[in-house]
Amino acid sequence: GEQLLVETLRGTLSPYEAERNAAAANLERLERMPACAGVLLRLACTGAVDAAVRQAAACALKNFVAAQWASGVLSAADQ
């Protein structure tokens, strides 16, 4: 759920490459869940998590939307 996503986002900010890589792989798996975009948006906008996690959530959401656009899942009408 949301807490797993928060911990994963924190992991993407780790100074340790192995931890960052594991978190990035986990984030890719989580992004396949239908509710992921909504949770990322909520995390990016909430004061309940620290600023670093909010920024990581915003970046992950941007990357998610860009990937969906590139794959044709989102159309120009969705802009």
Side-chain angles (χ1 to χ4, degrees):
E2 189 170 307
Q3 189 58 37
L4 176 60
L5 192 51
V6 168
E7 293 306 317
T8 298
L9 291 168
R10 280 196 182 111
T12 65
L13 303 171
S14 173
Y16 304 106
E17 183 178 6
E19 191 173 328
R20 277 193 321 272
N21 290 341
N26 195 35
L27 185 58
E28 285 181 22
R29 284 189 294 277
L30 291 171
E31 285 175 344
R32 294 186 194 121
M33 296 172 43
C36 186
V39 176
L40 287 171
L41 179 60
R42 188 168 51 250
L43 289 173
C45 296
T46 185
V49 294
D50 58 71
V53 171
R54 288 196 309 269
Q55 185 174 7
C59 288
L61 180 60
K62 182 224 18 128
N63 293 340
F64 174 80
V65 170
Q68 296 304 305
W69 237 320
S71 70
V73 172
L74 297 176
S75 68
D78 295 323
Q79 293 180 9

